[in-house]
Structures are given as structure tokens and as C-alpha cells.
Amino acid sequence: MMLAASDIDIAEDIRARTLFDWVALDRMFVADYGRPFSQRKVDGLRREWDLPSVGVLYLSYRHAEDNYAILDGQHRMVAAKQEGVKELPARIYIDLSYEEEATLYVRFATVNKQTALDRFRARLEARDQTALDVQRIVRQSGNMEVATRATKAPGYVYAVRGVEVIYDQY
């Protein structure tokens, strides 16, 4: 398989902007685009705990705060912390914008598939135009808001995928 010149440029850029290392768990955090925490998921990981199978977390290093936003691996990190582990291996992205982080978060859905609501919230944070348009239209319709967390409350639209399908069709 032959790589196009643009593919080589992208691969070199990724290589230049990433590194692999072991990172202390207490320097990791979940950004606003991250999925809501579930102790149930962590408990499931801990029931069959096996450190080598945790794999590599995907992180974004933020120079200003000197810490790491979790792009993929939040529940594995918490399970490791609860098991007494102090650090985990990670692929670390450097110098990403907040919007780039949110975009990668959406793309890195691995073990625990993201819900439509998880993806929509992250796409809002990534400034995705369709998500922003849907949010604006729902807000303009009256006393309604697109839900950004899975909570039951009147006035919130939870069926974000359905709303987006309608938006795309009309």
C-alpha cells in the first residue's frame, strides 16, 4: 500500500506531537467533553482487574496547568487508582487545542461506546457546526435546551440523534 504525500505529512505531524510515557494518575483529569463518570463501570473493571490488560490511555498534555486531560481511559484510570496503582502508560498528545481534544475524544470511543448524548456534548465542545446549529435552534424554540448530561428534567431534549437527523433532512 502506497501512502500519499499528505498521509506522510500527517503521520510525521502526529509523531512530532505525541510521545509515550508512564503518567502519574493524580496528574490526570476529565475535561468537560468527557462522559459522565460511572462507578458501575469502574466496579466491572475491578471485578476482573488485570493491570496488563488496562492498555494505554490517551492523554492531552496541557502546559498551562501542567497536567493531562483524559481523551480515552477515564474509567480505567479510576479503577487503577482504586486498585492502588500510581501511574499508567499513555500516548500523550502535545499542544492540542481544546477543540482538537474534544474531536479526538469522539473518535477514540473504544470499550465503552459513547452514547449519542456523549458524542453531541463533545462535538459542542469541539465547536462542530451541526451541533452548534442544533443547540441554537432548540434554544430559539422556547423554554428548551439540549441536554448535555443524562438527567431527567423537563424542558430538556435528550433525543439528540433524532433532532440531528431532522436537522440534516430539513
Side-chain angles (χ1 to χ4, degrees):
M1 178 173 125
M2 192 74 155
L3 290 176
S6 62
D7 293 334
I8 293 170
D9 292 342
I10 290 169
E12 288 173 4
D13 182 55
I14 291 170
R15 184 179 300 249
R17 293 177 66 193
T18 62
L19 58 98
F20 293 89
D21 203 353
W22 286 76
V23 178
L25 303 184
D26 62 2
R27 295 193 55 209
M28 299 177 194
F29 71 97
V30 178
D32 289 340
Y33 51 75
R35 80 176 72 229
F37 175 75
S38 167
Q39 185 61 48
R40 183 184 56 77
K41 288 179 183 178
V42 170
D43 291 344
L45 290 169
R46 292 184 68 201
R47 270 192 293 280
E48 299 179 26
W49 181 250
D50 178 42
L51 184 57
S53 69
V54 169
V56 175
L57 304 186
Y58 290 171
L59 306 175
S60 176
Y61 180 68
R62 293 188 180 177
H63 286 95
E65 296 97 7
D66 192 31
N67 58 23
Y68 302 83
I70 300 172
L71 304 176
D72 185 58
Q74 162 186 211
H75 291 93
R76 290 178 285 150
M77 182 275 291
V78 172
K81 192 179 274 189
Q82 290 178 6
E83 287 292 320
V85 174
K86 299 294 184 208
E87 60 182 16
L88 286 173
R91 177 178 187 176
I92 304 163
Y93 289 81
I94 301 167
D95 296 328
L96 295 178
S97 69
Y98 182 81
E99 291 79 10
E100 288 172 318
E101 286 180 6
T103 298
L104 285 176
Y105 167 82
V106 171
R107 293 182 179 163
F108 287 150
T110 57
V111 176
N112 298 315
K113 294 298 179 194
Q114 299 163 350
T115 67
L117 192 57
D118 293 332
R119 288 188 300 277
F120 185 82
R121 183 181 60 255
R123 288 176 40 237
L124 282 173
E125 297 292 331
R127 312 304 295 160
D128 174 81
Q129 194 57 55
T130 298
L132 292 169
D133 288 347
V134 166
Q135 182 183 52
R136 178 183 47 77
I137 291 166
V138 168
R139 284 179 174 167
Q140 288 175 345
S141 69
N143 295 322
M144 292 177 42
E145 183 73 37
V146 175
T148 56
R149 297 281 184 228
T151 58
K152 303 276 187 204
Y156 286 91
V157 174
Y158 297 95
V160 292
R161 183 68 193 125
V163 173
E164 284 189 275
V165 168
I166 293 167
Y167 173 83
D168 289 340
Q169 289 179 352
Y170 301 102

